[in-house]
Amino acid sequence: MKQNLISLALATLLVAPLTHALDLGKLVDELNKNPDLVNAVSGAVQNTIDANRTIGPKEEAAIGDGLAANLLGAAPLVNDAALQRYVNQVGAWVASRSEAPNLSWRFGVIDSPNVNGFATPGGTILITRGLYQKLNDEAELAGVLAHEISHVLLHHHIRAIQAGKGREAMGNALQGFASYKQGDTARQIGANALSGMSEVFVRGLDKDDEYEADIRGMALAARAGYNPYALVSVLQALSAINPADGTVQLMFSTHPAPNDRLNKIDQVVGDKLERYATGAEETQRFYRLK
Amino acid sequence: MKQHWISLALAGLIAAGASWADSGTLIRATPLKQKPLLDAATVSELPANSRLNIVARKGAWMQVKTASGQSGWVKLLNVRTGSAGSGGGGGLGTLGKVITTGSSGTTVTTGVKGLSAEQIENAKPNFAELDKLKQYQVSSGSATSSARQAGLGAQSVPYVAYTRGSASGSNTDATSPMNRRP
Ligand SMILES: [Zn+2]
């Protein structure tokens, strides 16, 4: 009910310049009778303005940390320090070949049998144990991480939150930034705003974001000395999984079908990166997870 | 040296593991090459929709065995796996429904919300675990020397241009002009 009143008031405010002054006067009267509504309306307007503006790197990092903490609340890290260190070595190397080598890049494998990967704004990237176990060599890992790194570089998640359901939650988070104390700003965002923004991981990105991350990720993997076509092998392995299998449901519902991604790579990349196909595939340091 | 080859072959067998019996379908007519090289001899010309058993992968190539027992190499990107074969749509259509919102052109796919979607929706932030994650972070200097030790070398590779809004062909949403960006 309150929600309804707010949107009604908001709608009226938005068309206000076109309407009769008398109507506006009525609205002001109404608002005067109900101070809660005044606060709600001005808050919502302020949040909308905040959610529209360009998000700075510090805010992106804080929001990303909060989103990563939320994902880690859903599934903690695999308790294997050697695995986590290895994934950071590979990921940081690939990211160092990007246009943003100095972002705070962090990587982790989370303990879920589901097959999925998550990029959060600012450079924290999580992949599931289920996905890691599908990988045959380091070039395939690099291909997956390069895809996620590309989402970060292109600000895909921040933009999807701004354009989608998490918009108001992000407005709330951003409005708070001014008042946050120095230090760990991610903790000050609040669980509700984090939960609202985390919706992006359930709804997914635009298909174009996914194709773009595949295509740029392949070049990035090649820059790091890997065979860029290893991503093709990963997508072929994903395509072979029965979509009814519970471990792929969220990934398949938030990404274009693997075969659509392969078709796009075929169409856009084709043989353009073949001169780098002699890049590394297997490495001695590849960490096999049972 | 021989020892090395044997362990390599063994490692290969172990790595192949689950993918041992994998099969694929050609999406277009393709020459079957004796070696993973464009100028290698052609074993035979394979028609589109040929079923193949996947033996190995190398670079941009896939080693395959045909139904008639011929062995050779084809380009990776000419092969699709899974029951959908050359259809390209995967099995997604049976799972979810694509909803396109007109104004933004944003496409989201909804469908069966698996347990993990609920887990994400109901999650409470775990900052202790985030602190743990931060401890594993490595500097790009450390990653670079580790990569060098692993035999990796930096290459200079330009990005391949991708035009957004060019989504076409096999996508369920491709018919909607609302979904195309200028
Ligand atoms: Zn993605």
Side-chain angles (χ1 to χ4, degrees):
Chain A
M1 186 54 198
K2 191 175 176 188
Q3 190 62 49
N4 265 342
L5 272 175
I6 295 169
S7 11
L8 197 82
L10 251 178
T12 316
L13 276 181
L14 290 174
V15 297
L18 302 170
T19 56
H20 222 259
L22 193 66
D23 293 340
L24 194 58
K26 268 187 195 163
L27 177 68
V28 171
D29 285 348
E30 204 56 45
L31 292 176
N32 281 336
K33 276 185 266 173
N34 190 345
D36 267 1
L37 195 56
V38 176
N39 291 334
V41 169
S42 58
V45 170
Q46 183 59 46
N47 291 353
T48 306
I49 293 162
D50 279 340
N52 271 333
R53 68 177 168 83
T54 306
I55 317 294
K58 275 188 183 157
E59 291 163 332
E60 242 190 329
I63 288 170
D65 277 359
L67 291 177
N70 233 36
L71 289 167
L72 289 164
L77 292 169
V78 174
N79 191 14
D80 183 339
L83 168 71
Q84 305 296 353
R85 264 184 233 114
Y86 169 67
V87 169
N88 274 280
Q89 292 289 7
V90 175
W93 163 240
V94 175
S96 79
R97 302 291 302 132
S98 78
E99 58 272 34
N102 296 322
L103 268 188
S104 185
W105 296 102
R106 301 183 205 120
F107 303 84
V109 182
I110 53 174
D111 204 352
S112 164
N114 285 5
V115 177
N116 218 335
F118 304 94
T120 68
T124 297
I125 285 160
L126 301 170
I127 67 170
T128 62
R129 172 169 54 81
L131 174 55
Y132 190 90
Q133 284 169 320
K134 296 272 170 217
L135 305 174
N136 292 302
D137 55 40
E138 188 167 309
E140 294 188 3
L141 173 63
V144 166
L145 297 180
H147 170 102
E148 301 301 342
I149 289 167
S150 300
H151 280 316
V152 174
L153 294 170
L154 297 162
H155 309 277
H156 282 158
H157 287 86
I158 277 288
R159 286 180 189 159
I161 295 167
Q162 276 182 303
K165 264 181 91 180
R167 177 190 176 79
E168 208 182 310
M170 187 161 77
N172 285 329
L174 291 174
Q175 215 194 353
F177 268 101
S179 60
Y180 290 161
K181 292 183 221 72
Q182 288 290 311
D184 199 344
T185 41
R187 280 177 205 255
Q188 299 174 59
I189 292 176
N192 280 344
L194 289 180
S195 175
M197 291 189 282
S198 293
E199 194 62 23
V200 71
F201 296 121
V202 175
R203 290 177 67 84
L205 298 168
D206 198 283
K207 283 186 177 205
D208 264 331
D209 292 344
E210 297 301 342
Y211 296 138
E212 206 176 12
D214 282 342
I215 288 155
R216 289 175 75 97
M218 284 179 74
L220 197 49
R223 285 183 193 175
Y226 297 103
N227 167 22
Y229 294 89
L231 181 69
V232 172
S233 297
V234 174
L235 291 172
Q236 286 175 340
L238 297 182
S239 175
I241 304 171
N242 184 343
D245 185 329
T247 63
V248 291
Q249 285 191 1
L250 182 60
M251 193 211 28
F252 280 9
S253 73
T254 51
H255 287 73
N259 278 354
D260 288 341
R261 295 168 66 182
L262 288 166
N263 290 346
K264 188 59 69 181
I265 291 169
D266 186 27
Q267 179 194 326
V268 178
V269 178
D271 57 9
K272 288 192 184 81
L273 296 174
E274 275 190 15
R275 54 189 293 207
Y276 310 104
T278 51
E281 291 171 352
E282 283 163 37
T283 52
Q284 277 201 337
R285 65 175 179 171
F286 184 61
Y287 191 90
R288 270 181 213 290
L289 188 59
K290 270 121 222 142
Chain B
M1 189 59 198
K2 195 173 179 188
Q3 189 61 48
H4 189 91
W5 273 110
I6 295 170
S7 34
L8 205 78
L10 254 176
L13 275 178
I14 294 163
S19 54
W20 200 231
D22 277 357
S23 61
T25 308
L26 280 180
I27 56 162
R28 57 173 71 90
T30 307
L32 181 67
K33 295 285 186 179
Q34 224 163 51
K35 288 177 187 167
L37 294 166
L38 268 185
D39 50 8
T42 298
V43 178
S44 68
E45 297 288 343
L46 302 175
N49 300 316
S50 299
R51 293 286 293 171
L52 305 165
N53 277 322
I54 299 168
V55 179
R57 291 171 158 98
K58 187 179 171 32
W61 295 83
M62 180 187 271
Q63 191 176 22
V64 297
K65 206 166 176 183
T66 68
S68 62
Q70 286 179 316
S71 287
W73 297 81
V74 296
K75 287 280 186 73
L76 267 182
L77 278 170
N78 291 334
V79 181
R80 295 293 176 273
T81 56
S83 52
S86 58
L92 188 63
T94 59
L95 248 190
K97 190 164 157 253
V98 173
I99 296 173
T100 304
T101 56
S103 55
S104 66
T106 304
T107 306
V108 291
T109 309
T110 62
V112 183
K113 297 262 168 90
L115 183 63
S116 57
E118 282 155 28
Q119 281 173 342
I120 289 169
E121 282 169 332
N122 299 325
K124 295 275 161 284
N126 186 341
F127 285 100
E129 205 64 12
L130 182 68
D131 288 341
K132 210 161 131 193
L133 178 88
K134 289 178 185 172
Q135 286 171 11
Y136 296 120
Q137 184 171 8
V138 302
S139 69
S140 71
S142 157
T144 301
S145 63
S146 173
R148 211 168 278 145
Q149 272 173 30
L152 295 156
Q155 300 284 325
S156 186
V157 184
Y159 280 126
V160 177
Y162 175 64
T163 311
R164 293 178 66 96
S166 63
S168 65
S170 51
N171 296 330
T172 25
D173 59 293
T175 48
S176 162
M178 297 296 281
N179 213 33
R180 288 165 186 270
R181 290 182 182 194

